[in-house]
Amino acid sequence: MKKVVLLTLLLCPFIFYAQDITGKWYGKLSVMGSELLFGLDFSKNDTSYSGKMDIPQQNAKGIPLSSVTFEDKTLVFKFDQAKFSYTGKLNASNEFEGVFSQNGQNFPLNLTRTETTLKKLTVHKNQNHLLIITLKRSVL
C-alpha cells in the first residue's frame, strides 16, 4: 500500500504538468490552397488564461486574443475583431486537435509545442529570361 501511495505522489506533478498550456504553441492552417502559420503564447494568472497570437504571413505579431479558456482538456480561444474562434481537445501526445472557425466555415487546426515551418517557392527571371526557382523554409 505504501508503494502505491508513493508512486501516486511521484506521478501527480507529471499529470498536472501535462495539462499546463502556458507557453508557446504552433499550428498550420490550410485554407483554399494556402497555408497560414499560427504562433500562440498562453499565460495564466491566478484564475484565468490570456494569450497572444502571431501570423507571420499577415505581419501579425503579439496580437492579444479576446478570450482564452482551458477546462477539461478543452482549449477555446477567440479573436473578436476577425470573428474567429478555435476549439481543441488536448490528446495523449500533449497536442491539441481542433477546429478553427470563421464566418461559418470550419478548418482543422492542430497545435503542438514544435515550431511549424512552411516551404516557400520563389520564382523570378534572370537576365536571360530563364526562370529560377528557390525553395526556402519559413519558421515561426
Side-chain angles (χ1 to χ4, degrees), residues 27-31 34-38 100 102 107-109 118:
K28 188 180 344 181
L29 181 67
S30 296
V31 179
S34 297
E35 293 181 323
L36 285 177
L37 294 178
F38 270 76
F100 174 93
Q102 186 175 31
F107 305 95
L109 176 61
L118 286 180

Side-chain angles (χ1 to χ4, degrees), residues 26-136:
Y26 305 93
K28 188 180 344 181
L29 181 67
S30 296
V31 179
M32 298 185 294
S34 297
E35 293 181 323
L36 285 177
L37 294 178
F38 270 76
L40 298 150
D41 192 1
F42 298 114
S43 56
K44 183 178 181 184
N45 64 23
D46 292 335
T47 58
S48 63
Y49 286 95
S50 62
K52 295 181 180 180
M53 73 174 165
D54 300 336
I55 305 174
Q57 294 96 327
Q58 296 181 347
N59 294 321
K61 187 162 178 76
I63 307 299
L65 296 170
S66 303
S67 64
V68 178
T69 59
F70 179 63
E71 190 174 312
D72 297 326
K73 295 187 177 185
T74 300
L75 170 67
V76 177
F77 64 81
K78 296 179 181 180
F79 184 58
D80 293 339
Q81 288 177 318
K83 297 181 180 146
F84 75 70
S85 65
Y86 173 84
T87 301
K89 187 84 168 173
L90 190 63
N91 65 23
S93 300
N94 202 34
E95 298 177 349
F96 284 101
E97 296 175 356
V99 176
F100 174 93
S101 300
Q102 186 175 31
N103 296 325
Q105 296 186 337
N106 297 320
F107 305 95
L109 176 61
N110 297 333
L111 302 175
T112 70
R113 296 282 191 174
T114 305
E115 285 188 87
T116 307
T117 61
L118 286 180
K119 294 177 184 174
K120 183 178 180 181
L121 289 175
T122 303
V123 179
H124 62 276
K125 293 181 182 180
N126 68 7
Q127 66 272 14
N128 297 322
H129 301 287
L130 297 174
L131 291 179
I132 298 173
I133 300 174
T134 308
L135 178 63
K136 294 182 179 180

